[in-house]
Amino acid sequence: MTMNRKPARIAVIVSSALALALGVLGGPSAAFAAPLPGTTHETQMGMHATGFDEAVAKAHGYRIVTYANGDQQSVPIDPQSKLPKSLIVHPQPAKSAAGPERQARPAAANTDYNEVWGNCGRSWIRVAQTGTDQVGIVSGFSNTPTIAYFWIWDVLLSDQNGTSHQTYDGAIFDDKATHVWLGLTQHGYTYDYVYNGGATLIDGTICVSGHPDVSIYL
């Protein structure tokens, strides 16, 4: 992973904008809350685009345009530029065609893996037992439409003793990112998942993680 060399001030702005976007969207409790009467309720399963960060877009030669139907897109400021346009973000994005969120794959030993896909790529998580009542968690994303500039990740761990959060954030310059948490204590049946997370792409697109989940018995 190549670290971005842009000024730290911009990274702080991006972090704040992404955190605000994730805060507005909320965690799983908000995502699955009952819709208000007369509203359309849609659930995004995989990593998906929710909007744009105009400051990041401008810093990388893009501007955000809004079409007559309310759709938004990040496009090059210079019409002669060869920079690619972003994906189009709809006011109410259609549900991802990735299928059910739970797509666990069989794995060796005491470990579990899951991934979810959306129009912003793949978000994933793996848990593995590393010792007596000890686990390691590795999670991240990949296959974003263009290079990501900053990311924030929050994994929730739960077991018979309660819950805890493992978090990470940082600047990047890649279409993928991974972080490892080691030395975590869990007991009995575990249920761990990406509680909240996202990445800001260089064209300003804000991608939100989705909630891949894993479970093992210790």
Side-chain angles (χ1 to χ4, degrees):
M1 183 184 302
T2 304
M3 294 301 295
N4 190 357
R5 294 181 174 83
K6 292 287 183 179
R9 181 178 63 85
I10 297 179
V12 171
I13 294 173
V14 176
S15 173
S16 299
L18 182 54
L20 177 61
L22 293 176
V24 170
L25 291 167
S29 58
F32 295 103
L36 295 174
T39 63
T40 300
H41 181 57
E42 293 176 328
T43 302
Q44 287 283 357
M45 304 304 286
M47 192 153 177
H48 59 281
T50 61
F52 296 93
D53 186 314
E54 294 189 14
V56 173
K58 184 177 181 181
H60 292 90
Y62 288 89
R63 64 187 179 93
I64 309 306
V65 297
T66 301
Y67 300 110
N69 65 350
D71 289 353
Q72 288 190 312
Q73 188 174 31
S74 179
V75 302
I77 295 174
D78 180 359
Q80 304 302 317
S81 172
K82 295 183 179 180
L83 289 172
K85 295 181 180 180
S86 77
L87 52 82
I88 294 176
V89 175
H90 308 288
Q92 292 185 333
K95 183 177 178 180
S96 169
E101 180 163 354
R102 180 64 180 165
Q103 298 174 14
R105 297 180 177 179
N110 197 13
T111 181
D112 191 19
Y113 172 82
N114 190 16
E115 64 182 41
V116 291
W117 287 81
N119 63 5
C120 262
R122 174 181 71 119
S123 58
W124 57 274
I125 184 172
R126 178 180 289 281
V127 61
Q129 183 174 4
T130 58
T132 303
D133 294 330
Q134 293 285 302
V135 302
I137 295 282
V138 57
S139 184
F141 67 88
S142 67
N143 301 88
T144 52
T146 189
I147 292 171
Y149 180 75
F150 195 89
W151 73 304
I152 296 175
W153 223 244
D154 182 350
V155 175
L156 186 145
L157 280 62
S158 60
D159 61 15
Q160 63 191 27
N161 292 334
T163 63
S164 67
H165 288 265
Q166 306 299 318
T167 61
Y168 180 80
D169 64 79
I172 55 173
F173 200 74
D174 206 340
D175 67 351
K176 59 186 177 298
T178 302
H179 190 73
V180 179
W181 294 268
L182 296 174
L184 306 174
T185 300
Q186 290 196 284
H187 303 279
Y189 284 105
T190 71
Y191 181 66
D192 311 321
Y193 63 96
V194 178
Y195 175 80
N196 214 357
T200 300
L201 311 186
I202 60 171
D203 61 11
T205 303
I206 296 175
C207 297
V208 176
S209 64
H211 308 292
D213 59 338
V214 288
S215 180
I216 59 175
Y217 180 76
L218 299 170

